[in-house]
């Protein structure tokens, strides 16, 4: 039985960042102050529903601000963009998440800062909804995205409410300008309960993969959001998802993302995959220190930067066919992380017979470094399972045919 090298690769990344112990757990919510700072997890979910994770991927934590893009997507889906844009703008604010600010039309600058998120929360389930019905609607929808019943950490929400003067001021400001109708207390209660929905890194990877896939759930195949809603949500995440670090983030990591003060961080690669990390110590901007490091490495290694000019292509595995004793795996397009993931998935699923497996690269255009590593590792595993392996590479697109154990893959012409 062949196994996947991706979880091993993810564990390696966790080992690389484990030594980063700088930063502090969020302390403005009493209950978060006593959070365990040590957990560390990373999870990926492809748009085809393949999940890979490593570390403390089953530990629950509260979504906090990571709930904002999902609530925004639900509001867009329920109310349509016109109503949503009338309430909240889509400009990066460059300000801290809890800034008391509005734009020239008295709208919060974007849905990723608290003022915008409190206003978006109020759009869910209609203006006359009770707090409990509104929060239940969000909880149910988040659960559907995660593929399991999520619960709310009411103790944490209670503790946050006791120290929510800042968010209360924001809600009063929003009420003063007619952005929300509810009592300030109820608006903050509803938003705080939304933030207190508990997830694991794996849940978040699955939830984000639905946004990556244009609204189709990667596992159930259910259409949960319009593609346009996903595109809008990702755009706002790209420009405003990382608090006042958003510009730096977009240039170095280049993935639409959102972080939360409990230590979660999500990133979305449109059309490819959802990524989530969890590590509670935060930098001065409120983003998880080790989460940011993991994303930097993934983005570099996997060539995930959205502005990358390297070509991307779908359907990397063109066919797997057998001719006599030889199995041909025909690849096509640009080999990036997603392409090598589909190769690895295909070979793990395939029942190989005969004695020779040929990887045909004649239609491959380019190789990204992580794909070289993943594809060679996959090929080596086929060899270690008892088959002869060879590469057909007439244009020499694979620059290095040496396996990780030093042996060389044979080539055929
Ligand atoms: N509930 C938190 C607040 O509004 C969320 C903040 C965050 O994760 O950035 O203060």
């Amino acid at each position: 039985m062949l196994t996947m090298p991706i979880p091993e690769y993810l564990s390696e990344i966790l080992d690389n960042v484990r030594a980063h112990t700088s930063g502090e757990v969020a302390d403005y919510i009493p209950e978060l102050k006593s959070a365990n700072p040590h957990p560390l997890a990373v999870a990926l979910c492809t748009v085809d529903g393949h999940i890979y994770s490593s570390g403390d991927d089953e530990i629950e934590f509260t979504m906090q601000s990571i709930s904002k893009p999902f609530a925004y997507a639900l509001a867009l889906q329920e109310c349509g963009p016109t109503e949503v844009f009338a309430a909240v703008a889509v400009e990066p604010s460059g300000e801290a998440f809890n800034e008391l600010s509005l734009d020239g039309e008295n709208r919060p600058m974007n849905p990723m800062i608290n003022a915008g998120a409190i206003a978006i929360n109020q759009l869910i389930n209609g203006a006359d909804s009770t707090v409990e019905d509104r929060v239940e609607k969000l909880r149910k929808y988040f659960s559907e995205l995660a593929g399991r019943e999520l619960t709310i950490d009411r103790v944490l929400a209670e503790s946050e409410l006791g120290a929510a003067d800042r968010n209360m001021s924001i809600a009063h400001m929003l009420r003063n300008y007619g952005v929300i109708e509810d009592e300030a207390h109820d608006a903050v209660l509803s938003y705080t309960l939304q933030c207190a929905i508990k997830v694991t890194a794996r849940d978040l990877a699955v939830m984000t993969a639905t946004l990556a896939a244009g609204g189709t759930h990667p596992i159930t195949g259910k259409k949960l959001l319009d593609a346009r809603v996903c595109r809008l949500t990702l755009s706002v995440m790209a420009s405003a998802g990382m608090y006042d670090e958003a510009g730096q983030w977009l240039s170095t990591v280049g993935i639409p993302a959102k972080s939360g003060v409990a230590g979660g961080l999500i990133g979305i690669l449109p059309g490819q995959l959802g990524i989530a990390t969890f590590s509670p110590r935060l930098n001065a901007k409120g983003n998880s220190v080790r989460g940011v490091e993991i994303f930097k490495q993934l983005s570099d290694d996997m060539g995930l930067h959205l502005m990358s000019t390297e070509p991307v292509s779908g359907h990397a595995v063109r066919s797997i066919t057998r001719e006599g004793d030889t199995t041909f795996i025909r690849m096509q397009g640009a080999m990036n992380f997603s392409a090598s993931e589909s190769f690895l998935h295909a070979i793990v699923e395939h029942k190989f017979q005969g004695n020779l497996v040929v990887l045909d690269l004649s239609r491959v255009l380019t190789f990204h470094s992580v794909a070289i590593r993943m594809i060679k590792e996959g090929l080596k595993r086929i060899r270690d399972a008892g088959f002869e392996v060879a590469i057909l590479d007439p244009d020499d697109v694979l620059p290095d045919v040496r396996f990780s154990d030093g042996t060389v893959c044979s080539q055929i012409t």
Side-chain angles (χ1 to χ4, degrees):
M1 175 70 184
L2 290 174
T3 56
M4 272 280 187
I6 295 177
E8 293 160 26
Y9 165 69
L10 293 178
S11 303
E12 237 176 69
I13 291 201
L14 293 190
D15 289 342
N16 294 345
V17 304
R18 221 175 282 280
H20 289 264
T21 51
S22 63
E24 301 293 336
V25 296
D27 58 1
Y28 74 101
I29 301 174
E31 197 60 27
L32 276 184
K33 206 166 161 176
S34 53
N36 175 2
H38 303 299
L40 177 62
V42 59
L44 310 179
C45 180
T46 69
V47 292
D48 301 323
H50 309 152
I51 308 173
Y52 307 98
S53 60
S54 183
D56 303 308
D57 54 358
E58 299 291 346
I59 291 189
E60 287 192 322
F61 53 94
T62 54
M63 291 178 84
Q64 298 301 333
S65 279
I66 293 176
S67 65
K68 292 171 180 172
F70 297 107
Y72 186 57
L74 179 59
L76 284 166
Q77 190 70 29
E78 272 196 352
C79 311
T82 312
E83 190 182 333
V84 173
F85 293 163
V88 179
V90 288
E91 291 303 327
S93 68
E95 291 171 342
F97 71 102
N98 56 5
E99 203 58 39
L100 274 110
S101 65
L102 297 174
D103 72 359
E105 294 171 46
N106 293 330
R107 293 173 304 175
M109 300 287 276
N110 67 64
M112 301 296 129
I113 55 171
N114 286 11
I118 291 171
I120 291 296
N121 174 279
Q122 287 295 296
L123 294 177
I124 306 294
N125 210 37
D128 52 1
S129 172
T130 62
V131 171
E132 279 308 319
D133 287 351
R134 180 170 288 136
V135 172
E136 180 56 13
K137 180 139 203 184
L138 282 156
R139 191 200 62 79
K140 271 216 172 100
Y141 163 69
F142 289 5
S143 300
E144 188 156 27
L145 286 171
R148 72 176 186 102
E149 278 307 303
L150 302 178
T151 58
I152 300 177
D153 189 336
R154 288 182 185 268
V155 174
L156 187 134
E158 201 50 50
S159 132
E160 177 164 1
L161 279 170
D165 294 335
R166 184 90 190 183
N167 284 339
M168 285 296 284
S169 320
I170 292 174
H172 281 294
M173 173 187 74
L174 294 174
R175 227 171 102 80
N176 178 57
Y177 286 101
V179 181
I180 65 170
E181 290 171 25
D182 240 358
E183 293 298 328
H185 172 270
D186 282 357
V188 174
L189 173 63
S190 178
Y191 161 76
T192 307
L193 288 168
Q194 168 194 313
C195 288
I197 294 174
K198 287 189 290 181
V199 287
T200 64
R202 273 176 85 89
D203 292 333
L204 285 178
V206 176
M207 293 172 80
T208 48
T210 300
L211 290 176
T216 303
H217 194 280
I219 292 161
T220 63
K222 231 167 140 180
K223 183 80 180 155
L224 298 178
L225 294 165
D226 293 343
R228 181 152 186 240
V229 163
C230 297
R231 202 179 64 195
L232 276 168
T233 307
L234 296 189
S235 308
V236 177
M237 288 172 75
S239 61
M242 293 298 281
Y243 306 125
D244 33 349
E245 204 168 36
Q248 165 127 34
W249 176 266
L250 190 59
S251 22
T252 51
V253 180
I255 300 173
K258 186 75 206 90
S259 65
V261 290
L265 181 52
I266 58 167
I268 296 168
L269 214 67
Q272 295 189 53
L273 70 156
I275 308 170
T277 62
F278 173 49
S279 172
R281 287 198 200 89
L282 310 179
N283 65 20
K285 307 276 188 192
N287 297 318
S288 164
V289 173
R290 295 193 291 193
V292 170
E293 281 309 314
I294 294 172
F295 268 87
K296 278 188 185 156
Q297 274 198 37
L298 287 177
S299 172
D300 270 3
D301 279 14
M302 294 189 178
L304 300 183
H305 200 297
L306 213 55
M307 306 305 165
S308 162
T309 48
E310 285 172 30
V312 282
S313 48
H315 304 291
V317 183
R318 195 160 166 252
S319 62
I320 302 185
T321 52
R322 191 151 65 89
E323 291 166 29
D325 267 347
T326 306
T327 302
F328 287 92
I329 308 175
R330 296 195 173 83
M331 306 294 291
Q332 63 185 4
M335 296 297 111
N336 60 3
F337 174 75
S338 293
S340 46
E341 192 275 334
S342 19
F343 164 77
L344 293 169
H345 196 264
I347 64 166
V348 168
E349 297 285 295
H350 192 78
K351 304 242 172 315
F352 286 99
Q353 287 172 353
N355 52 29
L356 174 64
V357 177
V358 174
L359 183 67
D360 180 353
L361 302 176
S362 42
R363 284 180 183 235
V364 169
L365 302 170
T366 51
F367 261 96
H368 190 277
S369 59
V370 80
I372 298 177
R373 173 174 168 182
M374 292 290 167
I375 286 180
K376 282 198 308 187
E377 188 57 33
L379 215 50
K380 176 171 169 292
R381 288 181 191 204
I382 298 176
R383 189 199 66 187
D384 294 348
F387 298 89
E388 254 182 79
V389 294
I391 295 176
L392 174 60
D393 184 12
D395 299 321
D396 285 329
V397 283
L398 185 61
D400 164 17
V401 290
R402 199 170 289 275
F403 290 132
S404 54
D405 62 0
T407 58
V408 170
C409 184
S410 46
Q411 302 203 53
I412 57 167
T413 46

